[in-house]
Amino acid sequence: MTSRYARTAFAALALACGATAGTAQTTDKLKVGLMLPFSGTFSALGVAIENGFRLHVAEQGGKLAGREIEFFKVDDESDPAKATDNVNKLIKRDGVDVIVGTVHSGVATAMARAAKQSGTLLIVPNAGADAVTGALCAQNIFRSSFSNWQSSYGMGTVAAKQEKKKTAVTITWKYAAGDEMTEAFKEGFEKEGGKVVKQLTVPFPNVEFQALLTEIAATKPDVVFAFFAGGGAVKFVKDYAAAGLNKVTPLYGSGFLTDGTLEAQGDAAQGLLTTLHYADGLNTPRDNAFRTAYAKSFKLQPDVYAVQGYDAAQILATGLKAVKGDIAKKADFAAAVQKATIDSPRGPFTMSRAHNPVQDIYLRKVDGKENKVVGVAAKALADPARGCKL
Amino acid sequence: MAAAIAGPLLGPYWADLLVKVMILSIFALSLELLVGMTGLVSLGHAAFYGIGAYATVLGSGAEGGNLIVLMLGAMGAAALYALCVGALSLRTRGVYFIMVTLAFAQMAFFVFHDTKVGGDSDGIYLDVRPTLGGLSLESRHALFYLVLAALAGTYGLLALVRRSRFGAALAGIRVNEQRMRAAGFATYGYKLAAFVMAGALAGLAGSLLAVRDGVVNPELLSWHTSGDVLLMVILGGMGHLRGAVIGAVVFTLLKELLSTHALMGPLADHWQLTLGLTIIVFVAVLPQGLMGLAQRLGQPIGKGGKA
Amino acid sequence: MDIGTFLVQCLNSVQYGLLLFLVASGLTLIFGIMGVINLAHGSFYMIGAYMAFALSPLFGDQFLVMLLAGIALAAVLGYLLEWAFFSYLYQRDHLQQVLMTYGLILVFEELRSLLVGNDVHGVKAPAWLDGSFALGELMSYPWYRLFASAACIVLAVGLYWVVNRTRLGMMVRAGASNRDMVRGLGIDIRRLYRIVFAAGVALAALAGMIAAPMSSVYPNMGASVLIICFVVVVIGGIGSITGALVASLLVGFVDTFGKVFFAEISGMGVYLLMAGILIWRPEGLMGRKA
């Protein structure tokens, strides 16, 4: 009996090996692995990132630095427990030259660890975990998006300096990204003389906020800073307004509170102030061209995730051009990217020594279904890259 | 068996996947000791797996540490938690037992997810893999044979348990606990011993996983992980040690195949749908799990679907 | 915490508890009477919420009519599902049902993604419930939340009445305690099961529809309510509607005050509660001795 199972299992394995070996035959194409959420809560983000990336490749005539691109896709399911296996599908099975991914911070941390070990080039198009360009930073790891610290520090300074708020309460999910964002807000806010009087948390991904809204009402701070995303962001903003708190205490947020969620939030979100590295109504020729092209290609309006995907491709193109398509020259690749200015739809940015964008953080105000830019919260803000030894 | 021994020749990815499948097999076997052999269905088994993994990473210092010590430590930590959980939860039975084990697993999950004990929700990673004597486990082959040996050891141990007096008592408890008690068996003690042993073996699996991945995160303790391993045991067919291993192999490979673009084309993007339908069909035609199929194949094939 | 805040927090607890009850009641019915461990219950909640999203533009302010239409649709769905998937599972091991309903979760989730997409959508509350009233000087309370609570109470009373005072309820109770006896009395147990299952699905979908304007609709929303519902059902005692109500309220209080006083570990609160209760009473608060 036993040997029969073994034979069946072996046959299945051999079959699968053969199938992948077949695709591995193609040469000269640059293999790009997209490890993104294609199912579950973040799937819309995964699609936007992929679209953005493909748009830039298409604009270059389907080639980067003269090399055609072959895509390999893996659904990361936003599950950190499966992250190592999923990233190994790309590194070890498909033998990709570059990995692009992902959205979820926990998954990205595991990816960064795997990339650090294998030396495969990794470009992170969203996950803001500070560690990716902090403690885990490496020559072959880049980020085209933001660090959690970056996205919220500016809101803190604006709240204290420009809006003259004295006391604040922060609220977020109890997990790493939430902690990093609210701590960054606190750092910025208290540096400018404000005081964070309470830091509230909800277990992730619980969306029952009523108890903490009552706490906020009882504490009566000058301002509330919130970080939630997706369904949680929609519910929080609606609950906040329904409780009447938006009339007495303004709600500020990390940009993710109102990105991709405005249609669902409706009136409740009007007038909210948030900070992020992208905004609607930038009205620069670069951004307008990008938005038109994106809308034409995908029949969708682009969002910040699409921009991050697009810029991941730009970073890859920049480095690749410098090494004339020879991806093995990691040091030259990194040096070229670090010297370059990336002409992003968000506005040009450079890369820090830890390979995180040094970028303007916009102050945005919700107006209708748009996050309209109203100013710059922090000019050319660089992540402190704590723990990075590059 | 051939596949297992020739593993490293398969190329890095498949060897790596095989290691994962073997680790999951150990994990599934440890649960089979509870579900199939003792009749205790636990939905919190991931807690011991996760604790084993975390103990390994937390215990290894900057130099990596000695693997044997780390593995024993991981098994000890998992067994200790299993002792506490088992002592309390074995007062309940049936669905209530399922839920109490879930409750204790969720508590452990939140400890690692919400506090700084294990580096919070993004998890922590090994700087250097532990060593075994002079052998570095950075080597793929060393890790492969280590896991293979652990699987063989676990399988052998459980096979022995099955044949022992202890195993017979567990089987008796599964069939009719009242009668066992009437016959003078202290069933609570037997069940607790099985629970702790299962916890320790799950800890071993977790420890090996930590060595393989180099990263651990709270998701390892989540109820999804508990659910997945339970599915493996059910899919394979309860009551057979081979069933647990087959379940782990089939569940992992099935998902792998259904989500591979090279094989499934665009349908791979919808692996949830194909996997879901496959599972439903499995349940419809294989009431006894895959082991039932294997047994039926020995005889003339009957009509599927009739239970 | 002053007395005003305390009272508001109590209101929050009751309100959250009642919502939980709405979802959990269907689960406890199916679970207790048919012995089916239905992991797909969260999916029915999700289906309800997406139904509200799809139907509300058609019905406009006729919110109650929409709820009735949704209930009917969900009941039909439940009836068909029972016929297609569950009817031949009763003789099987419970764990086969776990496997089957797990498969259903994956199928429903992917179908949702194919049919509606993966964006977050808001659902408008009907105009006659849109607005809020002041609650002390602290904050205001939305009318819709109050309506949801009221709906839950009406439902709880209705369920209690059906289960304890009608012939159908009698059969259901009898079926829960002794299946063979009911069969012996010449009651068509298959039909009874089909009705109970349809009712359970309808309850979950109703909960989803009522929750939709408050929580909006988004992928994986079903998974998040599933576990907490099982917790409620088990604390209350399987099959007991009253138990589910008491347990829902308990969970509501523990969750609410846990978040306020023990934020750092509040995720653990309800599980501590469940473990404690089951160790004290191994068959739940109102469960029958096994």
Side-chain angles (χ1 to χ4, degrees):
Chain A
M1 274 279 175
T2 320
S3 66
R4 185 188 296 148
Y5 307 133
R7 245 181 292 140
T8 325
F10 191 56
L13 267 175
L15 180 82
C17 285
T20 43
T23 61
Q25 291 300 321
T26 44
T27 47
D28 273 333
K29 285 186 177 174
L30 184 78
K31 295 191 197 172
V32 175
L34 300 175
M35 179 161 156
L36 294 166
F38 293 115
S39 65
T41 318
F42 293 136
S43 39
L45 283 57
V47 171
I49 290 169
E50 182 183 348
N51 286 348
F53 194 95
R54 284 181 187 268
L55 178 63
H56 184 69
V57 174
E59 284 174 358
Q60 310 301 307
K63 288 184 182 177
L64 296 183
R67 290 186 71 175
E68 270 186 64
I69 306 286
E70 184 179 10
F71 287 102
F72 293 83
K73 281 168 71 173
V74 165
D75 177 8
D76 72 21
E77 302 170 51
S78 299
D79 185 348
K82 296 177 188 145
T84 309
D85 293 318
N86 283 330
V87 74
N88 278 341
K89 283 184 194 170
L90 294 171
I91 296 177
K92 295 187 180 167
R93 182 186 69 187
D94 303 332
V96 300
D97 302 305
V98 189
I99 302 171
V100 177
T102 188
V103 171
H104 188 290
S105 283
V107 179
T109 308
M111 287 173 79
R113 149 89 205 182
K116 206 171 171 171
Q117 208 164 37
S118 72
T120 314
L121 196 65
L122 170 68
I123 306 176
V124 180
N126 184 63
D130 290 346
V132 171
T133 54
L136 277 166
C137 74
Q139 194 185 48
N140 59 322
I141 299 176
F142 299 84
R143 179 149 57 190
S144 68
S145 50
F146 62 96
S147 71
N148 288 336
W149 183 90
Q150 244 179 347
S151 80
S152 302
Y153 177 82
M155 191 78 250
T157 54
V158 169
K161 218 159 102 185
Q162 186 181 322
E163 306 288 319
K164 309 270 181 257
K165 305 293 179 195
K166 296 273 175 294
T167 57
V169 166
T170 65
I171 179 166
T172 183
W173 276 314
K174 182 77 201 143
Y175 72 145
D179 285 346
E180 287 175 358
M181 295 230 187
T182 48
E183 283 304 320
F185 172 84
K186 186 177 173 189
E187 192 184 324
F189 191 61
E190 300 200 333
K191 191 172 150 244
E192 300 296 339
K195 176 97 190 103
V196 171
V197 289
K198 225 176 220 169
Q199 294 189 284
L200 302 171
T201 56
V202 186
F204 181 78
N206 188 315
V207 290
E208 187 56 36
F209 303 118
Q210 212 60 27
L212 296 182
L213 292 177
T214 307
E215 270 301 286
I216 291 172
T219 312
K220 300 194 186 85
D222 292 341
V223 63
V224 172
F225 173 83
F227 166 65
F228 294 103
V234 174
K235 183 157 194 302
F236 181 78
V237 168
K238 285 171 93 177
D239 285 357
Y240 194 85
L245 284 169
N246 57 348
K247 292 188 197 86
V248 264
T249 315
L251 175 63
Y252 295 168
S254 141
F256 300 100
L257 195 65
T258 54
D259 250 78
T261 52
L262 283 176
E263 200 208 311
Q265 283 161 336
D267 294 340
Q270 295 309 306
L272 280 190
L273 284 182
T274 60
T275 47
L276 201 68
H277 50 284
Y278 190 59
D280 293 311
L282 287 179
N283 207 16
T284 58
R286 182 75 184 93
D287 189 42
N288 291 346
F290 166 75
R291 295 184 82 109
T292 320
Y294 189 94
K296 224 165 88 186
S297 299
F298 305 107
K299 313 279 172 275
L300 277 170
Q301 282 304 310
D303 53 15
V304 62
Y305 308 106
V307 172
Q308 292 168 175
Y310 187 82
D311 290 342
Q314 292 212 71
I315 290 174
L316 178 61
T318 306
L320 215 50
K321 233 170 258 163
V323 296
K324 306 214 166 40
D326 184 2
I327 197 97
K329 294 182 181 158
K330 301 252 159 54
D332 295 345
F333 184 101
V337 171
Q338 241 166 300
K339 255 184 282 164
T341 300
I342 308 292
D343 189 17
S344 167
R346 76 186 86 164
F349 67 82
T350 56
M351 293 296 259
S352 72
R353 75 190 157 81
H355 301 170
N356 191 61
V358 178
Q359 55 192 337
D360 292 351
I361 302 296
Y362 298 105
L363 181 65
R364 308 131 19 115
K365 188 175 197 166
V366 176
D367 180 8
K369 285 185 181 155
E370 289 197 319
N371 284 296
K372 275 263 160 59
V373 60
V374 292
V376 174
K379 191 90 193 137
L381 187 65
D383 182 79
R386 289 167 187 142
C388 176
K389 294 188 193 81
L390 265 186
Chain B
M1 283 301 112
I5 289 161
L9 304 176
L10 288 172
Y13 176 70
W14 290 98
D16 217 44
L17 185 69
L18 209 54
V19 169
K20 177 67 180 260
V21 169
M22 289 194 291
I23 291 172
L24 286 175
S25 298
I26 299 175
F27 187 27
L29 277 170
S30 73
L31 185 63
E32 166 66 17
L33 170 62
L34 288 183
V35 178
M37 286 164 70
T38 323
L40 293 168
V41 181
S42 160
L43 190 56
H45 211 50
F48 313 116
Y49 184 59
I51 287 173
Y54 266 97
T56 307
V57 173
L58 292 173
S60 74
E63 296 86 45
N66 183 318
L67 183 75
I68 299 292
V69 177
L70 287 175
M71 276 196 326
L72 288 177
M75 290 173 75
L80 191 67
Y81 191 61
L83 183 67
C84 304
V85 174
L88 292 169
S89 58
L90 285 168
R91 286 170 45 81
T92 62
R93 57 198 69 240
V95 175
Y96 296 100
F97 179 78
I98 297 182
M99 296 308 286
V100 184
T101 48
L102 169 73
F104 281 109
Q106 288 294 92
M107 284 181 217
F109 169 80
F110 282 111
V111 167
F112 288 112
H113 189 276
D114 288 5
T115 69
K116 298 282 173 200
V117 176
D120 79 28
S121 64
D122 281 352
I124 46 172
Y125 34 90
L126 276 173
D127 289 323
V128 185
R129 290 215 165 84
T131 51
L132 183 64
L135 201 61
S136 164
L137 289 169
E138 299 289 345
S139 143
R140 196 152 41 81
H141 297 248
L143 182 63
F144 184 91
Y145 289 112
L146 171 77
V147 174
L148 184 62
L151 174 59
T154 307
Y155 195 99
L157 177 69
L158 290 180
L160 279 180
V161 166
R162 257 172 95 101
R163 280 192 211 128
S164 68
R165 208 183 98 85
F166 175 57
L170 295 183
I173 290 170
R174 186 188 71 228
V175 177
N176 190 336
E177 191 177 347
Q178 300 280 3
R179 197 190 304 155
M180 288 301 284
R181 219 178 293 142
F185 282 89
T187 55
Y188 181 83
Y190 280 93
K191 286 196 289 185
L192 187 58
F195 198 86
V196 172
M197 192 172 157
L201 289 174
L204 170 68
S207 173
L208 291 170
L209 184 82
V211 174
R212 172 187 178 268
D213 286 1
V215 189
V216 294
N217 47 54
E219 287 309 309
L220 292 176
L221 292 93
S222 74
W223 68 273
H224 300 272
T225 312
S226 295
D228 280 352
V229 69
L230 189 56
L231 290 176
M232 289 172 200
V233 172
I234 304 171
L235 190 66
M238 286 167 292
H240 311 266
L241 288 182
R242 265 172 284 156
V245 177
I246 293 169
V249 173
V250 170
F251 190 76
T252 314
L253 284 186
L254 196 60
K255 206 176 137 198
E256 186 70 24
L257 298 181
L258 292 178
S259 61
T260 300
H261 284 86
L263 292 175
M264 300 296 290
L267 209 55
D269 280 339
H270 307 297
W271 62 266
Q272 289 204 13
L273 190 65
T274 44
L275 181 66
L277 291 174
T278 312
I279 289 176
I280 291 171
V281 171
F282 262 124
V283 177
V285 300
L286 298 175
Q288 306 300 321
L290 289 165
M291 279 304 291
L293 173 72
Q295 278 162 357
R296 237 190 301 167
L297 280 180
Q299 303 146 13
I301 294 168
K303 278 236 170 85
K306 278 192 183 159
Chain C
M1 186 183 278
D2 61 72
I3 187 79
T5 319
F6 176 75
L7 288 177
V8 177
Q9 292 294 24
C10 289
L11 179 65
N12 290 333
S13 310
V14 170
Q15 211 258 323
Y16 178 48
L18 285 172
L19 256 183
L20 279 179
F21 168 75
L22 194 56
V23 201
S25 56
L27 188 63
T28 202
L29 268 183
I30 294 179
F31 204 175
I33 290 150
M34 304 162 60
V36 172
I37 301 178
N38 179 20
L39 294 186
H41 198 72
S43 300
F44 300 138
Y45 171 81
M46 172 196 78
I47 289 172
Y50 274 89
M51 220 147 61
F53 168 64
L55 292 180
S56 64
L58 302 178
F59 285 86
D61 266 356
Q62 300 297 321
F63 190 67
L64 296 178
V65 183
M66 183 196 86
L67 288 185
L68 290 177
I71 290 172
L73 277 176
V76 171
L77 174 74
Y79 199 85
L80 291 177
L81 282 175
E82 204 275 352
W83 170 74
F85 294 109
F86 290 89
S87 54
Y88 58 92
L89 271 184
Y90 303 124
Q91 314 302 327
R92 302 269 194 91
D93 194 300
H94 282 331
L95 293 177
Q96 294 275 312
Q97 302 157 356
V98 170
L99 201 56
M100 157 80 80
T101 50
Y102 176 79
L104 281 177
I105 294 185
L106 293 177
V107 171
F108 284 137
E109 206 44 62
E110 192 64 40
L111 286 178
R112 188 264 315 138
S113 159
L114 287 171
L115 293 174
V116 199
N118 295 312
D119 291 332
V120 182
H121 295 286
V123 177
K124 266 205 165 7
W128 50 279
L129 284 172
D130 212 9
S132 36
F133 60 96
L135 200 68
E137 44 147 10
L138 286 174
M139 58 195 295
S140 48
Y141 224 73
W143 282 113
Y144 188 83
R145 274 184 177 268
L146 218 60
F147 161 79
S149 300
C152 296
I153 292 171
V154 168
L155 202 88
V157 173
L159 267 178
Y160 183 84
W161 181 76
V162 170
V163 172
N164 289 301
R165 293 278 184 277
T166 65
R167 196 180 133 71
L168 177 69
M170 210 172 65
M171 289 193 285
V172 165
R173 273 180 295 140
S177 49
N178 192 335
R179 219 164 290 176
D180 295 327
M181 189 189 73
V182 172
R183 204 175 289 131
L185 287 173
I187 292 169
D188 182 355
I189 197 123
R190 299 195 73 115
R191 215 177 114 240
L192 180 67
Y193 277 13
R194 213 153 281 176
I195 291 171
V196 169
F197 193 84
V201 172
L203 280 172
L206 175 65
M209 284 189 287
I210 290 185
M214 288 185 282
S215 73
S216 70
V217 300
Y218 50 95
N220 279 14
M221 64 185 298
S224 52
V225 302
L226 177 69
I227 283 282
I228 193 78
C229 279
F230 269 102
V231 169
V232 165
V233 167
V234 167
I235 291 180
I238 294 164
S240 164
I241 294 284
T242 324
L245 181 60
V246 174
S248 303
L249 293 174
L250 263 179
V251 169
F253 272 91
V254 168
D255 188 81
T256 303
F257 284 93
K259 273 178 196 152
V260 176
F261 291 119
F262 308 101
E264 189 77 356
I265 50 159
S266 66
M268 266 181 260
V270 288
Y271 298 102
L272 270 172
L273 174 75
M274 172 162 81
I277 285 184
L278 289 185
I279 286 160
W280 168 53
R281 282 183 67 97
E283 59 287 322
L285 289 175
M286 310 255 171
R288 294 171 305 270
K289 274 251 186 302

